[in-house]
Amino acid sequence: MAVDMNVFRGFAEQIGSLPQMAQPTDCPDGERVSRAKAVFAAKLDSAKATHLESCIHCGLCAEACQFYLQTKDPELTPIHKLDLLKRYYRREKAPLRFFHRFFEADISEADLEATQFLVYESCTECGRCGLVCPMGIDIASMVNVTRQGLAEAGLIPAGLRAVEQEQGGRGTVFGVGPEQLRAAIDDLRGRGYDVPIDKPKADILVLTSTIDILLFKDALEATVKVMNHLGVDWTLHSCAFEGANFGLLSGYEQVQKSASERITTQAIALGAKLVIVPECGHAYPALRWEGANEHGGALPFEVMAISEFLGNEIAAGRLQVEPIGRDKHVTYHDPCKVGRHGGVFREPRVVLDALGVDLDEMPCNQATNFCCGGGAGLFVMERAEPMRNAAFDLKREQVESTRADTVVTACGSCRVNLLAGAMRTEWDRGVESLVELVGNNLKQR
Ligand code: SF4
Ligand code: SF4
Protein backbone atom coordinates (compact mmCIF):
# COMPACT_ATOMS: atom_id res chain seq x y z
CA MET A 1 0.00 0.00 0.00
CA ALA A 2 1.30 3.47 -0.86
CA VAL A 3 2.58 5.59 2.01
CA ASP A 4 0.52 8.66 2.87
CA MET A 5 2.84 11.38 1.53
CA ASN A 6 1.46 13.95 3.98
CA VAL A 7 2.49 11.71 6.85
CA PHE A 8 5.83 11.22 5.12
CA ARG A 9 6.35 14.99 4.80
CA GLY A 10 5.57 15.41 8.50
CA PHE A 11 8.14 12.73 9.33
CA ALA A 12 10.74 14.42 7.11
CA GLU A 13 10.07 17.72 8.90
CA GLN A 14 10.53 16.01 12.26
CA ILE A 15 13.91 14.73 11.05
CA GLY A 16 14.80 18.24 9.84
CA SER A 17 14.26 19.64 13.33
CA LEU A 18 16.56 17.10 15.05
CA PRO A 19 19.71 19.30 15.11
CA GLN A 20 17.92 21.86 17.28
CA MET A 21 17.06 19.10 19.75
CA ALA A 22 20.65 17.90 20.20
CA GLN A 23 22.15 18.66 23.60
CA PRO A 24 25.74 19.91 23.91
CA THR A 25 28.18 17.12 24.65
CA ASP A 26 30.03 16.77 27.92
CA CYS A 27 33.44 16.69 26.24
CA PRO A 28 35.59 19.78 26.93
CA ASP A 29 37.63 20.92 23.92
CA GLY A 30 40.94 20.03 25.55
CA GLU A 31 39.91 16.40 25.99
CA ARG A 32 38.64 15.58 22.53
CA VAL A 33 41.91 14.30 21.12
CA SER A 34 42.82 12.21 24.17
CA ARG A 35 39.36 10.64 24.26
CA ALA A 36 39.44 9.74 20.56
CA LYS A 37 42.93 8.30 20.93
CA ALA A 38 41.85 6.16 23.89
CA VAL A 39 39.16 4.57 21.70
CA PHE A 40 41.58 4.01 18.83
CA ALA A 41 44.07 2.43 21.22
CA ALA A 42 41.43 0.03 22.54
CA LYS A 43 39.99 -0.89 19.14
CA LEU A 44 43.09 -1.30 16.99
CA ASP A 45 43.90 -4.97 17.26
CA SER A 46 46.38 -6.87 15.08
CA ALA A 47 43.74 -7.65 12.43
CA LYS A 48 42.90 -3.97 11.98
CA ALA A 49 46.60 -3.06 12.02
CA THR A 50 47.15 -5.53 9.18
CA HIS A 51 44.33 -3.90 7.23
CA LEU A 52 45.82 -0.45 7.78
CA GLU A 53 49.21 -1.67 6.55
CA SER A 54 47.92 -3.43 3.44
CA CYS A 55 46.71 -0.80 0.99
CA ILE A 56 48.45 -1.00 -2.40
CA HIS A 57 46.81 2.24 -3.64
CA CYS A 58 45.11 0.57 -6.60
CA GLY A 59 42.08 2.88 -6.40
CA LEU A 60 39.49 0.15 -6.92
CA CYS A 61 37.61 1.10 -3.77
CA ALA A 62 36.93 4.56 -5.22
CA GLU A 63 35.16 3.01 -8.21
CA ALA A 64 32.98 1.00 -5.84
CA CYS A 65 31.76 3.88 -3.70
CA GLN A 66 28.55 5.64 -4.71
CA PHE A 67 29.73 8.91 -3.21
CA TYR A 68 33.01 8.94 -5.12
CA LEU A 69 31.32 7.80 -8.34
CA GLN A 70 28.74 10.57 -8.11
CA THR A 71 31.12 13.39 -7.12
CA LYS A 72 34.54 12.31 -8.45
CA ASP A 73 35.89 14.04 -5.36
CA PRO A 74 39.22 12.39 -4.43
CA GLU A 75 38.57 13.31 -0.80
CA LEU A 76 35.78 10.74 -0.87
CA THR A 77 38.02 7.84 -1.88
CA PRO A 78 37.06 5.16 0.69
CA ILE A 79 40.54 4.39 1.99
CA HIS A 80 41.12 8.13 2.52
CA LYS A 81 38.36 8.01 5.15
CA LEU A 82 40.75 6.01 7.33
CA ASP A 83 43.57 8.60 7.21
CA LEU A 84 42.98 9.76 10.76
CA LEU A 85 42.97 6.23 12.13
CA LYS A 86 46.01 5.37 10.05
CA ARG A 87 47.91 8.38 11.35
CA TYR A 88 47.12 7.37 14.89
CA TYR A 89 48.27 3.81 14.13
CA ARG A 90 51.52 4.90 12.50
CA ARG A 91 52.49 7.27 15.29
CA GLU A 92 51.38 5.16 18.25
CA LYS A 93 51.29 1.49 17.35
CA ALA A 94 53.21 0.66 14.16
CA PRO A 95 56.56 -1.14 14.46
CA LEU A 96 58.21 1.95 12.90
CA ARG A 97 56.28 4.44 15.05
CA PHE A 98 59.40 6.29 16.25
CA PHE A 99 60.31 6.90 12.61
CA HIS A 100 56.76 7.98 11.63
CA ARG A 101 56.66 10.55 14.41
CA PHE A 102 59.34 12.55 12.58
CA PHE A 103 57.19 12.89 9.49
CA GLU A 104 53.59 12.83 10.62
CA ALA A 105 51.99 15.44 12.85
CA ASP A 106 50.01 14.37 15.88
CA ILE A 107 46.21 14.33 15.64
CA SER A 108 44.59 17.67 16.43
CA GLU A 109 41.04 18.75 17.21
CA ALA A 110 40.85 20.26 13.73
CA ASP A 111 41.70 16.83 12.27
CA LEU A 112 38.88 15.24 14.26
CA GLU A 113 36.43 17.86 13.04
CA ALA A 114 37.56 17.46 9.42
CA THR A 115 37.07 13.70 9.67
CA GLN A 116 33.48 14.11 10.84
CA PHE A 117 32.26 14.71 7.30
CA LEU A 118 34.24 11.78 5.89
CA VAL A 119 33.09 9.08 8.30
CA TYR A 120 29.59 10.28 9.11
CA GLU A 121 28.07 12.30 6.32
CA SER A 122 29.78 10.65 3.36
CA CYS A 123 29.92 6.98 4.36
CA THR A 124 27.00 4.64 4.89
CA GLU A 125 29.30 1.79 5.96
CA CYS A 126 27.73 -0.08 3.06
CA GLY A 127 30.79 -2.32 2.59
CA ARG A 128 30.88 -2.12 -1.21
CA CYS A 129 34.48 -0.85 -1.13
CA GLY A 130 35.65 -3.79 0.96
CA LEU A 131 34.03 -6.17 -1.51
CA VAL A 132 36.29 -5.07 -4.38
CA CYS A 133 39.49 -4.39 -2.45
CA PRO A 134 42.13 -6.90 -3.63
CA MET A 135 43.71 -6.75 -0.18
CA GLY A 136 40.43 -7.46 1.57
CA ILE A 137 40.58 -4.26 3.61
CA ASP A 138 37.38 -3.88 5.61
CA ILE A 139 37.04 -0.12 5.29
CA ALA A 140 33.45 0.04 6.59
CA SER A 141 34.28 -1.52 9.95
CA MET A 142 37.19 0.87 10.45
CA VAL A 143 35.01 3.81 9.49
CA ASN A 144 32.85 2.65 12.39
CA VAL A 145 35.89 2.57 14.70
CA THR A 146 36.65 6.15 13.64
CA ARG A 147 33.02 7.06 14.40
CA GLN A 148 33.48 5.52 17.85
CA GLY A 149 36.52 7.72 18.44
CA LEU A 150 34.69 10.85 17.30
CA ALA A 151 31.63 9.93 19.36
CA GLU A 152 33.74 9.70 22.49
CA ALA A 153 35.23 13.09 21.53
CA GLY A 154 31.73 14.60 21.43
CA LEU A 155 31.70 14.99 17.65
CA ILE A 156 28.60 13.08 16.54
CA PRO A 157 26.75 15.28 14.00
CA ALA A 158 23.86 17.10 15.66
CA GLY A 159 20.90 15.30 14.04
CA LEU A 160 22.29 11.86 14.77
CA ARG A 161 23.39 12.97 18.25
CA ALA A 162 19.85 14.08 19.09
CA VAL A 163 18.47 10.59 18.40
CA GLU A 164 21.37 8.82 20.12
CA GLN A 165 20.88 11.02 23.20
CA GLU A 166 17.16 10.29 23.21
CA GLN A 167 17.66 6.53 22.94
CA GLY A 168 20.44 6.57 25.54
CA GLY A 169 18.49 8.81 27.92
CA ARG A 170 14.77 8.14 27.76
CA GLY A 171 15.05 4.88 25.84
CA THR A 172 12.73 6.18 23.10
CA VAL A 173 13.41 6.93 19.41
CA PHE A 174 11.60 9.90 17.82
CA GLY A 175 9.42 9.98 20.93
CA VAL A 176 8.24 6.39 20.47
CA GLY A 177 8.21 4.31 23.64
CA PRO A 178 5.97 1.60 25.14
CA GLU A 179 2.98 3.97 25.20
CA GLN A 180 3.14 4.59 21.46
CA LEU A 181 3.66 0.87 20.82
CA ARG A 182 0.54 0.10 22.83
CA ALA A 183 -1.43 2.72 20.91
CA ALA A 184 -0.33 1.10 17.63
CA ILE A 185 -1.37 -2.30 18.99
CA ASP A 186 -4.72 -0.95 20.20
CA ASP A 187 -5.29 0.38 16.71
CA LEU A 188 -4.55 -3.04 15.20
CA ARG A 189 -6.73 -4.80 17.79
CA GLY A 190 -9.52 -2.35 17.00
CA ARG A 191 -9.31 -3.59 13.44
CA GLY A 192 -9.69 -7.20 14.48
CA TYR A 193 -6.11 -8.40 14.83
CA ASP A 194 -4.91 -10.53 17.69
CA VAL A 195 -1.62 -8.90 18.76
CA PRO A 196 0.20 -10.58 21.65
CA ILE A 197 2.30 -8.32 23.85
CA ASP A 198 4.30 -8.94 27.03
CA LYS A 199 3.62 -12.66 27.16
CA PRO A 200 5.78 -14.17 29.95
CA LYS A 201 7.08 -16.92 27.63
CA ALA A 202 7.14 -17.21 23.85
CA ASP A 203 9.08 -19.08 21.18
CA ILE A 204 9.51 -15.97 19.04
CA LEU A 205 10.18 -12.37 20.04
CA VAL A 206 9.24 -10.01 17.24
CA LEU A 207 10.87 -6.59 17.16
CA THR A 208 9.52 -3.56 15.36
CA SER A 209 10.91 -0.06 14.85
CA THR A 210 9.92 3.53 15.37
CA ILE A 211 9.67 4.02 11.62
CA ASP A 212 7.11 1.22 11.38
CA ILE A 213 5.10 2.66 14.26
CA LEU A 214 5.12 6.24 13.01
CA LEU A 215 5.35 5.93 9.27
CA PHE A 216 5.21 2.48 7.71
CA LYS A 217 2.38 1.16 9.87
CA ASP A 218 1.44 -1.35 7.22
CA ALA A 219 4.75 -3.15 7.71
CA LEU A 220 3.86 -3.78 11.37
CA GLU A 221 0.34 -4.82 10.40
CA ALA A 222 1.70 -7.19 7.76
CA THR A 223 4.11 -8.73 10.28
CA VAL A 224 1.19 -9.38 12.65
CA LYS A 225 -0.79 -10.97 9.82
CA VAL A 226 2.10 -13.26 8.89
CA MET A 227 2.83 -14.39 12.45
CA ASN A 228 -0.84 -15.14 13.14
CA HIS A 229 -1.21 -16.88 9.78
CA LEU A 230 1.67 -19.17 10.74
CA GLY A 231 0.04 -19.88 14.11
CA VAL A 232 3.35 -19.73 15.96
CA ASP A 233 3.92 -18.80 19.61
CA TRP A 234 5.10 -15.19 19.33
CA THR A 235 4.99 -11.88 21.16
CA LEU A 236 5.97 -8.26 21.00
CA HIS A 237 7.40 -6.88 24.23
CA SER A 238 7.02 -3.37 25.59
CA CYS A 239 10.46 -3.54 27.25
CA ALA A 240 12.23 -4.70 24.09
CA PHE A 241 10.56 -3.79 20.82
CA GLU A 242 12.83 -1.22 19.19
CA GLY A 243 15.16 -2.77 16.62
CA ALA A 244 16.87 0.50 15.66
CA ASN A 245 20.14 1.13 17.47
CA PHE A 246 21.38 4.70 17.26
CA GLY A 247 24.31 3.80 19.48
CA LEU A 248 25.66 1.62 16.68
CA LEU A 249 25.00 4.27 14.03
CA SER A 250 26.52 7.12 16.00
CA GLY A 251 29.48 5.11 17.27
CA TYR A 252 28.50 5.71 20.90
CA GLU A 253 29.18 2.28 22.34
CA GLN A 254 27.47 2.75 25.67
CA VAL A 255 24.10 3.35 23.98
CA GLN A 256 24.73 0.58 21.46
CA LYS A 257 25.38 -1.91 24.24
CA SER A 258 22.39 -0.95 26.35
CA ALA A 259 20.03 -1.08 23.34
CA SER A 260 21.31 -4.54 22.35
CA GLU A 261 21.31 -5.84 25.92
CA ARG A 262 17.71 -4.80 26.45
CA ILE A 263 16.63 -7.13 23.64
CA THR A 264 18.97 -9.95 24.56
CA THR A 265 17.89 -9.92 28.21
CA GLN A 266 14.21 -9.95 27.31
CA ALA A 267 14.58 -12.68 24.70
CA ILE A 268 16.37 -14.89 27.25
CA ALA A 269 13.71 -14.20 29.90
CA LEU A 270 11.02 -15.20 27.39
CA GLY A 271 12.85 -18.39 26.51
CA ALA A 272 12.70 -17.28 22.88
CA LYS A 273 14.27 -19.53 20.30
CA LEU A 274 14.15 -16.84 17.64
CA VAL A 275 14.20 -13.05 17.52
CA ILE A 276 12.83 -11.52 14.32
CA VAL A 277 14.31 -8.17 13.33
CA PRO A 278 11.93 -5.84 11.46
CA GLU A 279 12.53 -4.14 8.14
CA CYS A 280 15.42 -2.10 9.51
CA GLY A 281 18.81 -2.78 7.92
CA HIS A 282 21.19 -1.93 10.75
CA ALA A 283 18.99 -3.58 13.40
CA TYR A 284 20.25 -6.89 12.03
CA PRO A 285 24.00 -6.47 12.71
CA ALA A 286 23.18 -4.53 15.89
CA LEU A 287 21.64 -7.64 17.40
CA ARG A 288 23.11 -10.53 15.49
CA TRP A 289 26.80 -9.60 15.82
CA GLU A 290 27.14 -6.65 18.15
CA GLY A 291 24.53 -8.17 20.48
CA ALA A 292 26.53 -11.39 20.53
CA ASN A 293 29.70 -9.46 21.30
CA GLU A 294 28.02 -7.77 24.25
CA HIS A 295 26.65 -11.11 25.40
CA GLY A 296 30.18 -12.52 25.36
CA GLY A 297 29.48 -15.41 23.00
CA ALA A 298 26.87 -16.97 20.75
CA LEU A 299 23.36 -15.77 21.55
CA PRO A 300 21.09 -18.50 22.97
CA PHE A 301 18.52 -17.76 20.26
CA GLU A 302 18.56 -17.30 16.52
CA VAL A 303 18.34 -13.85 14.96
CA MET A 304 16.62 -13.42 11.59
CA ALA A 305 15.72 -10.44 9.48
CA ILE A 306 12.04 -10.53 8.59
CA SER A 307 12.92 -10.95 4.90
CA GLU A 308 15.03 -13.98 5.80
CA PHE A 309 12.25 -15.42 7.97
CA LEU A 310 9.64 -14.98 5.22
CA GLY A 311 11.85 -16.66 2.62
CA ASN A 312 12.62 -19.57 4.93
CA GLU A 313 8.97 -20.10 5.87
CA ILE A 314 7.90 -20.05 2.22
CA ALA A 315 10.71 -22.39 1.18
CA ALA A 316 9.69 -24.81 3.96
CA GLY A 317 6.07 -24.74 2.76
CA ARG A 318 4.75 -23.35 6.04
CA LEU A 319 3.80 -19.96 4.60
CA GLN A 320 1.71 -19.78 1.45
CA VAL A 321 0.93 -16.71 -0.60
CA GLU A 322 -1.42 -15.97 -3.47
CA PRO A 323 0.48 -15.09 -6.64
CA ILE A 324 0.14 -11.43 -7.57
CA GLY A 325 0.98 -12.02 -11.19
CA ARG A 326 3.64 -11.04 -13.68
CA ASP A 327 2.01 -7.78 -14.65
CA LYS A 328 3.53 -6.38 -11.46
CA HIS A 329 7.05 -5.39 -12.50
CA VAL A 330 9.45 -5.03 -9.60
CA THR A 331 13.12 -4.79 -8.82
CA TYR A 332 14.60 -5.63 -5.43
CA HIS A 333 16.86 -3.31 -3.46
CA ASP A 334 19.01 -5.31 -1.01
CA PRO A 335 19.56 -3.34 2.22
CA CYS A 336 23.36 -3.32 2.63
CA LYS A 337 23.45 -4.46 6.25
CA VAL A 338 21.15 -7.42 5.63
CA GLY A 339 22.45 -8.29 2.16
CA ARG A 340 26.12 -7.51 1.67
CA HIS A 341 26.92 -7.76 5.39
CA GLY A 342 24.46 -10.51 6.33
CA GLY A 343 24.32 -12.60 3.16
CA VAL A 344 20.51 -12.54 2.97
CA PHE A 345 20.04 -12.51 -0.80
CA ARG A 346 18.21 -15.73 -1.61
CA GLU A 347 15.34 -15.41 0.86
CA PRO A 348 13.71 -12.19 -0.42
CA ARG A 349 13.91 -13.59 -3.94
CA VAL A 350 12.21 -16.78 -2.79
CA VAL A 351 9.40 -14.53 -1.53
CA LEU A 352 9.15 -12.57 -4.79
CA ASP A 353 9.20 -15.80 -6.76
CA ALA A 354 6.33 -17.19 -4.68
CA LEU A 355 4.41 -13.97 -5.24
CA GLY A 356 4.82 -14.59 -8.96
CA VAL A 357 5.83 -11.02 -9.76
CA ASP A 358 8.06 -10.06 -12.67
CA LEU A 359 11.43 -9.47 -10.97
CA ASP A 360 13.90 -7.54 -13.11
CA GLU A 361 17.21 -7.13 -11.28
CA MET A 362 19.22 -3.92 -11.40
CA PRO A 363 22.61 -4.12 -13.17
CA CYS A 364 24.25 -4.00 -9.73
CA ASN A 365 22.29 -6.33 -7.50
CA GLN A 366 22.74 -8.58 -4.49
CA ALA A 367 26.40 -8.35 -3.35
CA THR A 368 27.15 -5.46 -5.72
CA ASN A 369 23.95 -3.55 -5.00
CA PHE A 370 24.44 0.20 -4.45
CA CYS A 371 23.35 1.63 -1.10
CA CYS A 372 20.21 3.78 -1.09
CA GLY A 373 22.32 6.59 0.40
CA GLY A 374 20.48 6.85 3.71
CA GLY A 375 22.20 4.03 5.61
CA ALA A 376 24.31 4.26 8.79
CA GLY A 377 22.22 7.19 10.02
CA LEU A 378 22.74 9.48 7.00
CA PHE A 379 18.99 9.91 6.83
CA VAL A 380 19.07 11.94 10.07
CA MET A 381 22.18 14.00 9.31
CA GLU A 382 21.38 17.43 7.95
CA ARG A 383 24.74 17.98 6.23
CA ALA A 384 24.46 14.63 4.45
CA GLU A 385 21.64 15.75 2.19
CA PRO A 386 23.82 16.30 -0.92
CA MET A 387 25.31 12.83 -0.43
CA ARG A 388 21.89 11.22 0.04
CA ASN A 389 20.67 12.91 -3.11
CA ALA A 390 23.73 11.84 -5.08
CA ALA A 391 23.28 8.22 -4.01
CA PHE A 392 19.59 8.32 -4.82
CA ASP A 393 20.34 9.62 -8.33
CA LEU A 394 22.63 6.64 -8.93
CA LYS A 395 20.04 4.25 -7.57
CA ARG A 396 17.42 5.85 -9.77
CA GLU A 397 19.56 5.19 -12.86
CA GLN A 398 19.92 1.58 -11.78
CA VAL A 399 16.17 1.17 -11.33
CA GLU A 400 15.38 2.92 -14.60
CA SER A 401 17.53 0.45 -16.50
CA THR A 402 15.01 -2.24 -15.54
CA ARG A 403 11.36 -2.60 -16.56
CA ALA A 404 10.26 -2.27 -12.92
CA ASP A 405 7.66 0.25 -11.90
CA THR A 406 8.15 -0.62 -8.22
CA VAL A 407 11.21 -0.95 -6.01
CA VAL A 408 10.69 -3.51 -3.29
CA THR A 409 12.95 -3.46 -0.25
CA ALA A 410 13.06 -4.70 3.34
CA CYS A 411 14.43 -1.71 5.24
CA GLY A 412 12.55 1.33 6.55
CA SER A 413 15.56 3.66 6.19
CA CYS A 414 16.01 2.58 2.55
CA ARG A 415 12.31 3.30 1.99
CA VAL A 416 12.67 6.74 3.59
CA ASN A 417 15.61 7.67 1.37
CA LEU A 418 14.03 6.26 -1.78
CA LEU A 419 10.73 8.03 -1.06
CA ALA A 420 12.52 11.30 -0.27
CA GLY A 421 14.39 11.05 -3.57
CA ALA A 422 11.20 10.20 -5.43
CA MET A 423 9.47 13.22 -3.87
CA ARG A 424 12.40 15.54 -4.67
CA THR A 425 12.70 14.43 -8.29
CA GLU A 426 9.00 13.73 -8.92
CA TRP A 427 9.90 10.16 -9.76
CA ASP A 428 7.02 7.95 -10.76
CA ARG A 429 8.31 4.59 -9.45
CA GLY A 430 6.66 3.09 -6.37
CA VAL A 431 8.56 1.97 -3.27
CA GLU A 432 7.10 -0.99 -1.40
CA SER A 433 7.94 -3.21 1.52
CA LEU A 434 8.53 -6.94 1.15
CA VAL A 435 6.60 -7.89 4.28
CA GLU A 436 3.65 -5.76 3.19
CA LEU A 437 3.53 -7.60 -0.13
CA VAL A 438 3.40 -10.89 1.75
CA GLY A 439 0.91 -9.70 4.37
CA ASN A 440 -1.45 -8.43 1.70
CA ASN A 441 -1.31 -11.65 -0.30
CA LEU A 442 -1.51 -14.47 2.21
CA LYS A 443 -3.30 -17.56 0.96
CA GLN A 444 -6.76 -17.81 2.47
CA ARG A 445 -7.31 -21.01 4.39
S1 SF4 B 1 31.50 1.72 3.01
FE1 SF4 B 1 30.27 2.30 1.21
S2 SF4 B 1 29.90 4.51 1.47
FE2 SF4 B 1 31.59 3.94 2.86
S3 SF4 B 1 33.43 4.34 1.70
FE3 SF4 B 1 32.92 2.17 1.37
S4 SF4 B 1 31.68 2.15 -0.52
FE4 SF4 B 1 31.74 4.29 0.20
S1 SF4 C 1 40.89 -1.08 -3.11
FE1 SF4 C 1 42.01 -1.67 -1.26
S2 SF4 C 1 44.15 -1.72 -1.89
FE2 SF4 C 1 43.06 -0.58 -3.50
S3 SF4 C 1 43.21 1.59 -2.85
FE3 SF4 C 1 41.32 0.82 -1.98
S4 SF4 C 1 41.86 0.11 0.07
FE4 SF4 C 1 43.78 0.34 -1.08
Side-chain angles (χ1 to χ4, degrees):
M1 188 183 292
V3 176
D4 181 334
M5 290 314 280
N6 286 327
V7 176
F8 183 73
R9 278 189 199 91
F11 184 74
E13 275 166 28
Q14 196 181 347
I15 287 176
S17 66
L18 286 173
Q20 290 88 55
M21 294 160 70
Q23 300 300 311
T25 61
D26 66 348
C27 186
D29 280 354
E31 287 184 22
R32 292 190 198 280
V33 171
S34 58
R35 286 200 191 183
K37 280 184 173 179
V39 172
F40 297 159
K43 297 287 169 183
L44 276 182
D45 54 17
S46 55
K48 289 190 173 60
T50 308
H51 283 235
L52 288 173
E53 292 271 19
S54 304
C55 180
I56 54 169
H57 309 288
C58 66
L60 286 174
C61 54
E63 298 302 324
C65 177
Q66 69 268 26
F67 299 128
Y68 175 82
L69 286 173
Q70 290 296 86
T71 61
K72 298 293 179 201
D73 180 353
E75 286 288 300
L76 299 185
T77 301
I79 192 67
H80 176 59
K81 294 171 186 176
L82 303 184
D83 281 358
L84 183 83
L85 196 59
K86 206 167 180 175
R87 180 133 58 95
Y88 169 80
Y89 165 74
R90 280 184 178 146
R91 283 184 49 94
E92 311 288 341
K93 290 216 164 188
L96 296 177
R97 54 192 175 278
F98 300 107
F99 173 77
H100 284 296
R101 284 178 194 164
F102 282 111
F103 301 100
E104 292 193 88
D106 202 357
I107 292 173
S108 67
E109 276 179 35
D111 294 327
L112 297 180
E113 281 162 19
T115 303
Q116 215 184 16
F117 179 72
L118 294 178
V119 297
Y120 282 109
E121 285 116 336
S122 60
C123 180
T124 57
E125 299 179 13
C126 75
R128 202 168 189 271
C129 48
L131 187 75
V132 302
C133 174
M135 304 307 290
I137 299 173
D138 184 0
I139 296 172
S141 76
M142 284 189 286
V143 162
N144 194 261
V145 169
T146 310
R147 282 190 180 197
Q148 289 176 338
L150 295 190
E152 203 56 44
L155 291 171
I156 301 169
L160 182 56
R161 190 166 78 241
V163 195
E164 170 269 305
Q165 287 171 335
E166 183 193 338
Q167 191 169 23
R170 295 199 300 275
T172 60
V173 176
F174 299 135
V176 172
E179 206 181 308
Q180 289 71 22
L181 173 70
R182 285 184 184 282
I185 289 173
D186 286 347
D187 176 54
L188 289 167
R189 285 176 173 166
R191 289 189 286 123
Y193 293 105
D194 179 19
V195 189
I197 181 165
D198 294 347
K199 282 165 67 171
K201 294 285 170 194
D203 289 342
I204 304 176
L205 172 63
V206 173
L207 307 181
T208 181
S209 79
T210 290
I211 288 187
D212 285 355
I213 292 171
L214 291 180
L215 188 61
F216 302 131
K217 296 180 183 199
D218 291 350
L220 177 58
E221 181 178 342
T223 305
V224 169
K225 282 187 198 173
V226 168
M227 300 311 291
N228 288 347
H229 187 86
L230 284 166
V232 288
D233 175 22
W234 73 283
T235 190
L236 285 157
H237 207 288
S238 56
C239 296
F241 65 90
E242 181 59 73
N245 188 322
F246 281 84
L248 178 66
L249 299 181
S250 64
Y252 198 48
E253 244 187 326
Q254 211 176 308
V255 174
Q256 180 230 303
K257 285 181 181 173
S258 64
S260 300
E261 264 173 15
R262 183 181 293 205
I263 298 168
T264 305
T265 306
Q266 197 58 60
I268 293 170
L270 280 169
K273 300 182 185 78
L274 170 66
V275 176
I276 298 180
V277 173
E279 289 193 333
C280 172
H282 81 272
Y284 188 62
L287 184 62
R288 186 162 173 196
W289 297 297
E290 301 303 334
N293 286 340
E294 306 322 330
H295 185 65
L299 293 167
F301 49 83
E302 223 179 323
V303 177
M304 277 190 210
I306 183 78
S307 54
E308 187 179 12
F309 177 72
L310 294 171
N312 287 344
E313 292 302 297
I314 287 175
R318 290 186 289 267
L319 184 64
Q320 281 111 28
V321 290
E322 298 284 359
I324 298 173
R326 292 187 65 78
D327 53 354
K328 186 168 179 81
H329 308 292
V330 309
T331 193
Y332 186 71
H333 167 74
D334 289 281
C336 303
K337 305 293 190 294
V338 180
R340 197 158 30 244
H341 291 252
V344 179
F345 296 121
R346 181 186 59 84
E347 295 84 348
R349 289 164 176 82
V350 166
V351 174
L352 293 171
D353 186 49
L355 287 167
V357 295
D358 170 34
L359 171 65
D360 192 10
E361 298 275 14
M362 287 175 267
C364 296
N365 62 73
Q366 302 189 51
T368 64
N369 181 61
F370 280 108
C371 177
C372 68
L378 262 77
F379 80 103
V380 294
M381 292 183 220
E382 66 287 5
R383 285 197 307 174
E385 190 181 356
M387 292 294 128
R388 291 196 300 265
N389 292 347
F392 171 79
D393 293 343
L394 179 56
K395 177 58 63 178
R396 179 179 165 154
E397 279 172 29
Q398 290 271 312
V399 174
E400 287 181 350
S401 69
T402 72
R403 56 182 175 273
D405 46 35
T406 301
V407 184
V408 178
T409 190
C411 170
S413 305
C414 296
R415 285 174 81 189
V416 166
N417 208 50
L418 294 171
L419 284 167
M423 199 164 71
R424 175 179 61 86
T425 61
E426 298 183 358
W427 197 40
D428 62 355
R429 303 297 203 273
V431 181
E432 292 186 28
S433 130
L434 189 74
V435 69
E436 278 184 49
L437 280 180
V438 172
N440 292 339
N441 294 284
L442 290 170
K443 189 164 251 174
Q444 298 304 318
R445 289 186 171 141

